[in-house]
Amino acid sequence: MAICILNRQLKKGAVIVIGEQAITGLSVPYLQVANSRKTLGRMARNFYGHPSNQKVMIGITGTNGKTTTSYMLQHFLESNGISCSVIGTIQNIINGKKIKTANTTPNSLALHQLLSISEDDVIIMEVSSHGLAQYRLEGIEFDYGLFTNLHHEHLDYHGSMEEYFQTKVLMFNQLKERGTAVVNGDNAWGRKLLEILRRDGKSVYVIGKSADYSLSVVQFNSLTNSIIVKEQNETYQINSAIDGIHNMYNTIMAYGTSRLLGIPKEKLLNSIPLFQGVEGRFEITRLANGSIVVVDYAHTPDAISYCLKTAKLQGAQRIIHIFGFRGDRDPSKRSAMVSLAAELSDQYILTLDDLNTVSQSTMVKALNQLNEGYGNLKGNIIPDRTLAIQKAIDESREGDWIVITGKGHEKYQQSYQLPTTTDRETVDLVIEFE
């Protein structure tokens, strides 16, 4: 099969072939390398003229919060006259143009090309563990490396939390000589990262409740979306336009990085309340009957915990949680997610997420087993995702919060009974006919 593909490329005009296997008898030069993906990244870097060295590069990695932090950071910087490109999960934004994306981190060739065409002052990148493990960031160097947190996720790919963590550490090996790491010191894995970075002599800026440098979160007040922070010898309040303690950490991460980029505190404090959030990230719709619907991308135990606890803190009298699981993806986190839903919600509905290569009957069987084993008699199963959302809205009453997690901004892979393609579209359609 590989030889057939190779021959097709030669017919298209390939003038050199690079690979990892020993191949002879080609009509063009062949270069054997130890790692073809790393080689591609280095070649792309050289071909496009080392574009990451010509920009202020900000890489954001972690399990949760990458997207919100990146868009918040873009808002803070552009509100203060610094243009930004954004490369990430929802889309890529280059020179103000939005480009659809298939992966959080593009392949190295596409990535270097995007950097080369950007005319913006700063590049903000979400950096996934898959992208790091697959050398998609080879040849990229960062001025700032941000670590949001690390929680149970992607163990189907990485095997263990330690391996997952060590993959994340790779991004900080790509800091420029004077690069700075911005780390959440309130996360256990963040503290472990700090030990490594300090041992290696890296410049570190820590955010958190007991941070040892520049910025310390000393009090949360989630009811009013405000936090009290201490920066050097000054204490003041930051007011955010978005909900949740997890978003307070995202706010401080983006705020601290903006301060490192030289934006005055007073200008940032004016910019922060104007940020209106990100599509599919704790996106709120208020219904005429006095209930509230939240659409969120949360698909890990910790992210779900943040969402449900935020709803409770914001005054939810009753929480109905709708979620499912992706086929072929980390089954080890599923029981914890159901247990959390049973603990933190008054009722939950298990439904379908992306099936990928798993059949619907197999997934429904798994949902039944999880519901019986971990659901504490609070769960129902409605395989059709749109009908699950419709049922929750139809039966809602004043004071209810319906929290729909897992898909966020993403389109459905399967077709459902209602003619919609996203959770938000489904909510809007059901409301229209209420």
Side-chain angles (χ1 to χ4, degrees):
M1 179 64 72
I3 295 298
C4 292
I5 295 173
L6 180 55
N7 287 332
R8 285 201 296 270
Q9 297 304 315
L10 290 174
K11 289 180 180 179
K12 290 181 179 180
V15 296
I16 188 171
V17 176
I18 298 173
E20 298 172 9
Q21 300 176 358
I23 300 176
T24 58
L26 296 180
S27 59
V28 298
Y30 177 74
L31 178 63
Q32 185 177 1
V33 297
N35 189 311
S36 55
R37 285 180 172 175
K38 290 184 72 172
T39 302
L40 175 62
R42 293 169 182 174
M43 291 178 64
R45 174 195 62 193
N46 295 338
F47 180 81
Y48 287 108
H50 295 245
S52 70
N53 291 344
Q54 301 168 30
K55 301 287 183 180
V56 175
M57 298 290 302
I58 302 174
I60 307 173
T61 199
T63 305
N64 301 314
K66 295 187 297 296
T67 301
T68 300
T69 301
S70 67
Y71 279 87
M72 196 177 291
L73 188 53
Q74 179 200 26
H75 168 74
F76 294 170
L77 297 183
E78 293 195 334
S79 296
N80 289 281
I82 301 174
S83 65
C84 300
S85 292
V86 178
I87 298 173
T89 303
I90 295 178
Q91 61 196 353
N92 298 329
I93 306 173
I94 309 293
N95 304 326
K97 181 180 179 180
K98 297 178 180 179
I99 306 168
K100 289 184 179 180
T101 180
N103 298 305
T104 298
T105 306
N107 68 63
S108 59
L109 184 60
L111 181 53
H112 283 280
Q113 183 183 38
L114 288 172
L115 299 188
S116 72
I117 64 175
S118 172
E119 298 173 359
D120 295 311
D121 303 314
V122 174
I123 308 289
I124 303 169
M125 286 185 57
E126 293 182 55
V127 177
S128 70
S129 59
H130 288 71
L132 287 164
Q134 296 168 10
Y135 301 99
R136 296 183 214 159
L137 290 106
E138 186 67 27
I140 302 293
E141 293 184 317
F142 296 98
D143 295 270
Y144 301 94
L146 280 56
F147 180 88
T148 59
N149 51 65
L150 200 73
H151 297 295
H152 187 149
E153 175 70 323
H154 300 311
L155 299 194
D156 55 322
Y157 184 85
H158 294 292
S160 68
M161 285 297 295
E162 180 62 30
E163 182 180 337
Y164 182 29
F165 170 72
Q166 291 298 335
T167 303
K168 293 290 191 183
V169 172
L170 294 174
M171 188 187 81
F172 297 90
N173 296 334
Q174 295 178 221
L175 286 173
K176 294 178 182 177
E177 184 177 354
R178 295 186 179 181
T180 299
V182 183
V183 179
N184 176 4
D186 287 349
N187 179 262
W189 292 98
R191 291 191 292 273
K192 185 172 181 177
L193 176 62
L194 287 172
E195 292 178 4
I196 294 171
L197 295 173
R198 286 169 176 156
R199 181 197 66 200
D200 293 344
K202 304 287 188 183
S203 173
V204 177
Y205 185 100
V206 186
I207 66 105
K209 293 177 183 176
S210 57
D212 63 350
Y213 178 68
S214 292
L215 187 63
S216 179
V217 186
V218 295
Q219 179 180 328
F220 285 113
N221 185 346
S222 295
L223 292 175
T224 58
N225 296 331
S226 66
I227 44 178
I228 306 300
V229 301
K230 182 178 181 181
E231 185 177 3
Q232 296 179 349
N233 295 320
E234 187 178 6
T235 300
Y236 50 91
Q237 180 172 300
I238 288 180
N239 299 308
S240 177
I242 55 178
D243 300 309
I245 290 175
H246 57 299
N247 280 322
M248 297 299 101
Y249 277 96
N250 296 334
T251 301
I252 294 172
M253 183 72 68
Y255 170 88
T257 306
S258 300
R259 293 286 286 124
L260 289 172
L261 283 162
I263 299 178
K265 177 196 68 179
E266 292 74 16
K267 290 188 176 182
L268 284 171
L269 293 179
N270 291 331
S271 300
I272 290 171
L274 301 178
F275 179 70
Q276 296 302 310
V278 181
E279 179 187 2
R281 269 60 176 181
F282 214 82
E283 201 171 4
I284 289 178
T285 301
R286 300 181 186 276
L287 306 188
N289 67 357
S291 62
I292 290 174
V293 179
V294 174
V295 173
D296 194 88
Y297 188 56
H299 53 275
T300 68
D302 294 272
I304 284 174
S305 176
Y306 292 146
C307 284
L308 299 182
K309 287 180 178 178
T310 296
K312 184 66 71 176
L313 285 168
Q314 296 288 60
Q317 297 175 20
R318 190 172 66 131
I319 296 175
I320 300 95
H321 182 202
I322 302 171
F323 67 111
F325 308 102
R326 301 192 176 188
D328 302 322
R329 297 291 177 88
D330 194 0
S332 65
K333 66 181 179 180
R334 294 176 181 175
S335 60
M337 291 167 67
V338 175
S339 295
L340 278 167
E343 175 189 352
L344 299 175
S345 67
D346 297 276
Q347 176 189 341
Y348 68 80
I349 301 174
L350 287 176
T351 189
L352 295 182
D353 201 313
D354 296 342
L355 289 172
N356 296 319
T357 65
V358 175
S359 69
Q360 179 170 325
S361 60
T362 298
M363 182 56 74
V364 171
K365 181 179 178 180
L367 295 181
N368 277 293
Q369 291 172 342
L370 289 161
N371 190 44
E372 292 172 6
Y374 304 95
N376 199 24
L377 303 178
K378 288 187 177 179
N380 295 308
I381 296 172
I382 303 177
D384 188 300
R385 192 175 183 93
T386 61
L387 297 184
I389 294 171
Q390 183 180 49
K391 177 179 174 63
I393 292 176
D394 287 345
E395 297 180 357
S396 67
R397 56 179 185 259
E398 185 176 358
D400 285 353
W401 281 56
I402 301 166
V403 181
I404 308 165
T405 62
K407 292 293 294 175
H409 68 285
E410 292 182 341
K411 292 185 180 296
Y412 299 148
Q413 282 190 1
Q414 295 86 239
S415 296
Y416 298 114
Q417 185 164 326
L418 299 185
T420 54
T421 61
T422 67
D423 286 344
R424 180 59 186 267
E425 281 186 17
T426 303
V427 171
D428 290 345
L429 180 67
V430 173
I431 292 172
E432 182 180 351
F433 291 101
E434 283 291 299

